[in-house]
Amino acid sequence: MWRTGPRRGTKPQFWAVQPIFHARPDSLILSSLKPSSSCFCLLPTPTQSRRRPRRRHRPPHPRALRRRRRPSPLSPAGPPRAAPMSSSAAALAWRRSLRDALLRGSAWRGAPAANSAAARLASTASASEAAAGPKKVPPPPRKGRLLTGAMIGLAIAGGAYVSTADEAKFCGWLFKSTQLVNPLFALLDAEFAHRLAVTAASHGFVPREKRPDPSVLGLEIWGRKFTNPIGLAAGFDKNAEAVEGLLGMGFGFVEVGSVTPLPQEGNPKPRIFRLREHGAVINRCGFNSEGIVVVAKRLGAQHGKRKMEETSSSTSPTTSDVKQGGKAGPGILGVNLGKNKISEDATADYVQGVHTLSQYADYLVINVSSPNTPGLRKLQGRKQLKDLVKKVQAARDEMQWAEDGPPPLLVKIAPDLSKQDLEDIAAVALALRLDGLIISNTTISRPSPADTHPLAQEAGGLSGKPLFDLSTNVLREMYILTRGKIPLIGCGGVSSGEDAYKKIRSGATLVQLYTAFAYGGPALIPRIKKAWKAAGSTGFFETASSKADLMGVSPRAIAAETNLLKVLSKAQASSNKQLKRFFAASNGANAQATMVDESGA
């Protein structure tokens, strides 16, 4: 019941409302309505209950006035009072409120009639907007539409051209586009940029060479075929993370490492310094490596992938004795072995590396020339080197190998050696029949013009263009000392096709890059191949004659000796086959004689 009355002092009249709760608690049904001639209408709320009649007014006591507190803004203020209205208006308001409650169920949840009326107006407006349709969006400006259409057209045209263009031309564009990224790497820290480049190559974010190498660049060595003699030196991919990506860029071979038996952080940072004006780098990394266990897992996965591709390929195996490609893919993979800084037995470290990684390598390298590991270069002495090579060769030969045989074993030497040191190394290499030498590692000297640079006083080994003359002189001297009987890999300061060809003419069989590749990026590889092809268009005879001039021997004598060695090797192979047939026949004859004796008995 809600009390209503026209004025104070008169007998109150009531509107009787009976709440009936069905599915929703706010649904009310009006049972009877008896309005007076003039009344005050109080709109109901769901929580409102019957109010008692107002008591007779008594003036409050003064103390009560002092003790009375102001109402809190959080306390309920009671039902709102509406303005006086006529009976017909009150009845109309009741009907509208009840209809809203029955239809939408929102008017009785504490919302007054005014709010429900506003909701009705909003719903009416929304209905009219819906009937009118969606609101029109103004079209974009004419210039924006033209620019968007032009960009889409260029993208479609470029994609269509690329899909139909020559693959070689498109591959050349990719390699040239990498020159735009090289200046960005120059803004980064040297070691961070190096780490970023290795990560990009490991995830395939580098161009892939799809053009075949010219036939004039191919050569055969150690029973394996190199598509070109340009390789990547050790130090770039120390932990064998990006072998597949680096070989895919067009290198003929890639050398990973140096790999140490135990993981080690190397020397403190900063440890890599750029001498950009001279195209050189000084580093004192100190064999930072993740260890042979991690590297063996990565190389094992790549080796297994290579075997799966070979077994699943439909091509028939070649009858040639020369193996196509290597154990990691189309190119040749070399593994550079090092020793731990805290190790007291260097030989044990190298032997452990041979036992763990030789099965995944196409050739192995004993690194005894790094200037950043204390006491390492002492192993280049005649006695120390001879003992080390003997033990490593024995560790390699005691392992079981397939028909391919054990991997070749090479030694990497320093360019800061005296004439006597070079003679001792050449004597050891010839006496122990070493498979090859890499000439050379970084230098602790500061050749001109790098000696004038402010960073030239930093400790570490220097690589790059200033090293070219020094390492090439050592290469030429070692070729003379070994009389051309041991394959040599020229490394140090190669930055162009002309430099690579000079290394070949000085006695090198293969050539390695490092610092120039760090500065020039992937675009340097096809550039060197192109220049080398133009310089070496006369063929192998010119290179052989230039090497022969170093030793004072005629090119014909070298060619005759080479043909003689081939004839002897073929004769030895045929004699081995005949011996096998003879022993097989003799064993069969003995077996038949034994069977005859048993039958006669």
Side-chain angles (χ1 to χ4, degrees):
M1 294 292 186
W2 287 269
R3 185 183 63 181
T4 59
R7 60 183 180 271
R8 181 179 176 184
T10 60
K11 185 177 180 180
Q13 297 182 2
F14 300 92
W15 286 348
V17 179
Q18 179 184 0
I20 301 176
F21 295 89
H22 297 284
R24 289 159 55 173
D26 56 348
S27 59
L28 305 177
I29 297 179
L30 186 63
S31 59
S32 62
L33 185 62
K34 298 178 181 179
S36 60
S37 61
S38 165
C39 67
F40 287 90
C41 178
L42 297 177
L43 299 181
T45 59
T47 59
Q48 194 173 13
S49 60
R50 179 185 300 179
R51 292 182 58 185
R52 297 180 181 178
R54 186 181 294 176
R55 294 181 181 181
R56 184 175 298 177
H57 177 70
R58 292 180 181 179
H61 194 273
R63 293 182 180 177
L65 290 176
R66 288 195 299 266
R67 291 195 302 265
R68 183 176 297 176
R69 299 179 180 177
R70 294 183 179 179
S72 173
L74 300 178
S75 62
R81 293 178 179 268
M85 62 179 65
S86 62
S87 59
S88 59
L92 182 59
W94 272 105
R95 292 191 187 100
R96 288 179 177 176
S97 300
L98 186 60
R99 184 187 63 182
D100 294 339
L102 292 175
L103 294 179
R104 286 185 293 273
S106 61
W108 298 97
R109 294 175 183 168
N115 291 348
S116 62
R120 286 197 307 273
L121 293 175
S123 62
T124 306
S126 62
S128 62
E129 291 179 0
K135 189 177 181 180
K136 294 184 178 180
V137 180
R142 181 180 178 85
K143 292 183 179 180
R145 285 180 292 174
L146 292 176
L147 181 60
T148 304
M151 294 298 294
I152 295 176
L154 288 176
I156 296 175
Y161 180 77
V162 166
S163 61
T164 58
D166 186 14
E167 188 177 22
K169 183 181 295 185
F170 179 64
C171 188
W173 289 350
L174 287 179
F175 275 90
K176 289 181 180 179
S177 65
T178 59
Q179 298 178 358
L180 303 176
V181 187
N182 291 338
L184 300 179
F185 281 85
L187 302 176
L188 304 175
D189 175 70
E191 188 160 358
F192 179 76
H194 174 243
R195 180 69 251 169
L196 186 62
V198 174
T199 304
S202 63
H203 290 83
F205 299 140
V206 291
R208 191 170 186 85
E209 182 63 79
K210 297 181 182 290
R211 298 166 292 185
D213 291 327
S215 58
V216 70
L217 300 182
L219 71 160
E220 300 173 4
I221 182 174
W222 303 318
R224 292 166 176 81
K225 182 176 179 59
F226 290 73
T227 58
N228 66 80
I230 304 172
L232 182 62
F236 187 85
D237 187 9
K238 291 178 176 291
N239 300 304
E241 301 176 67
V243 175
E244 187 175 357
L246 293 173
L247 287 174
M249 279 193 286
F251 284 111
F253 62 103
V254 171
E255 187 176 318
V256 299
S258 296
V259 186
T260 57
L262 299 177
Q264 62 181 19
E265 293 293 333
N267 294 323
K269 300 178 182 180
R271 52 194 179 186
I272 302 179
F273 307 92
R274 296 190 183 107
L275 284 68
R276 184 172 297 277
E277 297 84 355
H278 309 296
V281 169
I282 296 176
N283 87 88
R284 51 170 181 264
C285 293
F287 284 171
N288 52 314
S289 173
E290 295 181 5
I292 58 174
V293 176
V294 176
V295 175
K297 289 181 179 179
R298 291 184 180 136
L299 293 180
Q302 296 170 5
H303 182 65
K305 182 179 178 181
R306 168 73 169 170
K307 289 296 183 182
M308 289 292 294
E309 291 177 354
E310 289 179 354
T311 54
S312 61
S313 61
S314 59
T315 57
S316 59
T318 58
T319 57
S320 176
D321 295 336
V322 179
K323 183 179 178 181
Q324 302 290 333
K327 296 183 179 180
I332 304 299
L333 174 65
V335 178
N336 190 297
L337 304 177
K339 66 176 287 289
N340 283 109
K341 184 177 182 180
I342 60 175
S343 177
E344 298 180 357
D345 189 356
T347 303
D349 287 0
Y350 290 109
V351 169
Q352 186 177 358
V354 170
H355 286 162
T356 308
L357 300 176
S358 59
Q359 55 184 330
Y360 308 120
D362 293 304
Y363 70 89
L364 295 172
V365 180
I366 304 175
N367 190 352
V368 292
S369 54
S370 174
N372 303 314
T373 301
L376 184 66
R377 289 196 169 189
K378 294 180 180 179
L379 298 175
Q380 296 178 116
R382 184 165 189 161
K383 182 179 183 304
Q384 294 87 344
L385 183 62
K386 186 175 182 179
D387 294 341
L388 175 62
V389 173
K390 275 186 177 181
K391 293 181 180 179
V392 173
Q393 285 180 337
R396 179 198 62 176
D397 296 338
E398 70 184 6
M399 299 175 65
Q400 295 182 355
W401 299 100
E403 56 185 16
D404 294 337
L409 185 64
L410 290 76
V411 174
K412 189 170 186 177
I413 64 175
D416 310 307
L417 296 173
S418 63
K419 182 66 178 293
Q420 185 62 42
D421 294 334
L422 294 177
E423 292 177 356
D424 293 341
I425 293 174
V428 171
L430 292 173
L432 300 180
R433 296 182 180 179
L434 203 61
D435 295 306
L437 294 172
I438 298 180
I439 306 169
S440 65
N441 211 321
T442 58
T443 176
I444 57 176
S445 63
R446 298 294 181 261
S448 178
D451 55 344
T452 59
H453 197 276
L455 295 176
Q457 304 302 322
E458 293 288 345
L462 181 139
S463 61
K465 291 182 180 180
L467 179 61
F468 179 80
D469 292 336
L470 179 61
S471 61
T472 305
N473 293 335
V474 175
L475 173 66
R476 187 181 296 109
E477 186 70 21
M478 186 58 68
Y479 185 82
I480 296 174
L481 293 174
T482 56
R483 300 188 293 274
K485 295 182 179 180
I486 296 177
L488 305 179
I489 299 179
C491 178
V494 178
S495 58
S496 64
E498 183 181 0
D499 294 340
Y501 196 63
K502 287 181 180 179
K503 291 283 187 183
I504 295 294
R505 293 178 65 89
S506 298
T509 306
L510 304 171
V511 177
Q512 284 183 333
L513 311 176
Y514 182 22
T515 305
F517 177 69
Y519 281 123
L524 180 65
I525 307 171
R527 197 186 312 147
I528 291 179
K529 290 180 183 179
K530 184 177 180 180
W532 203 347
K533 179 183 177 182
S537 58
T538 54
F540 176 77
F541 183 76
E542 182 179 350
T543 304
S545 62
S546 64
K547 291 181 180 180
D549 293 340
L550 296 176
M551 301 182 297
V553 183
S554 63
R556 294 184 179 181
I558 292 181
E561 184 180 359
T562 304
N563 294 331
L564 180 61
L565 291 175
K566 289 183 179 179
V567 171
L568 290 176
S569 61
K570 289 182 180 179
Q572 185 177 2
S574 61
S575 63
N576 291 337
K577 291 182 180 178
Q578 292 178 359
L579 288 175
K580 288 181 180 179
R581 292 176 183 175
F582 172 75
F583 284 119
S586 62
N587 291 335
N590 293 336
Q592 291 180 0
T594 305
M595 292 176 63
V596 170
D597 294 341
E598 290 179 354
S599 62

